[in-house]
Amino acid sequence: MNFRIENKYKIEKDKLFNFYEFLKQNAAQILYPQRKIHSIYFDNQFFSSYKDSIEGIVPRKKIRIRTYPKKIDDEKKISHTLEIKINSVEGKIKNINKNFDYDRIIRHGYFDDLYGQCFPKVEISYFREYFSLIGFRITIDKSINYLEFNNQKKILSYDSV
């Protein structure tokens, strides 16, 4: 298993220019052009996954379907992945499944051995840029929107990154 190391930082919008300048001055490479990412997060009726994440409980999981454009510049052609992100004492790992029945999981949910039957709860979309700098992958997420699943009621929106 390859464990992941992730550090997330919030950069205020007025500081973003300085961060781009830092990347440029240090010869960061653009890995992919910016693209829009859309995710549907699943949880059980008690919101156990969400609560475990807030409390920092381990082990914990995030269950989501992530949608990427098949081509970076073509939002109409998309690819879905079922992703299970696991945080354990040993580290973080992400399992990706590209061969699943999207419609069935959206309609009937996903059964997880830790959380039981989980259903779509929230949709999150944002624009992501990808860079590489001295062996590290850096992503910048902008215009983050949180919606109740299938309700289109905005829960939260971030214009900073």
Side-chain angles (χ1 to χ4, degrees):
M1 269 191 239
N2 291 331
F3 289 104
R4 302 163 54 102
I5 297 172
E6 293 180 354
N7 293 311
K8 297 182 182 188
Y9 304 97
K10 183 177 179 181
I11 301 173
E12 296 302 326
K13 196 172 184 179
D14 62 340
K15 305 280 191 243
L16 188 56
F17 176 80
N18 294 340
F19 189 65
Y20 282 119
E21 283 298 309
F22 167 82
L23 292 173
K24 183 178 176 181
Q25 290 170 2
N26 288 282
Q29 299 296 307
I30 297 172
L31 294 176
Y32 311 103
Q34 176 176 272
R35 62 182 170 178
K36 186 172 186 178
I37 307 293
H38 180 263
S39 299
I40 300 170
Y41 283 82
F42 289 69
D43 209 338
N44 62 24
Q45 65 183 355
F46 306 108
F47 291 90
S48 300
S49 174
Y50 171 75
K51 289 175 184 174
D52 286 354
S53 180
I54 295 298
E55 295 294 324
I57 304 293
V58 288
R60 67 178 180 271
K61 297 180 185 179
K62 288 183 183 175
I63 303 162
R64 69 183 178 211
I65 293 176
R66 181 155 282 176
T67 302
Y68 299 95
K70 283 187 180 176
K71 291 183 181 177
I72 299 299
D73 59 350
D74 190 349
E75 298 293 328
K76 293 179 182 174
K77 295 181 181 178
I78 57 173
S79 171
H80 301 294
T81 60
L82 175 63
E83 301 179 0
I84 313 296
K85 290 183 75 174
I86 302 168
N87 286 12
S88 67
V89 175
E90 298 84 14
K92 298 177 182 184
I93 192 161
K94 180 167 66 171
N95 296 316
I96 299 173
N97 180 353
K98 294 181 180 183
N99 300 311
F100 67 99
D101 187 337
Y102 174 86
D103 292 326
R104 185 186 66 75
I105 291 177
I106 291 294
R107 277 194 311 273
H108 302 291
Y110 176 86
F111 183 81
D112 179 72
D113 60 351
L114 181 60
Y115 297 121
Q117 195 66 27
C118 297
F119 294 95
K121 299 293 184 183
V122 67
E123 297 179 65
I124 301 174
S125 63
Y126 51 89
F127 291 94
R128 174 168 279 178
E129 295 175 275
Y130 302 81
F131 299 91
S132 178
L133 181 62
I134 57 169
F136 291 95
R137 186 175 104 157
I138 298 168
T139 58
I140 299 174
D141 299 340
K142 297 186 280 192
S143 300
I144 304 168
N145 289 297
Y146 299 80
L147 303 170
E148 287 183 22
F149 179 74
N150 267 350
N151 192 357
Q152 300 308 308
K153 178 182 174 188
K154 191 176 282 189
I155 300 170
L156 194 56
S157 181
Y158 282 111
D159 204 25
S160 61
V161 294

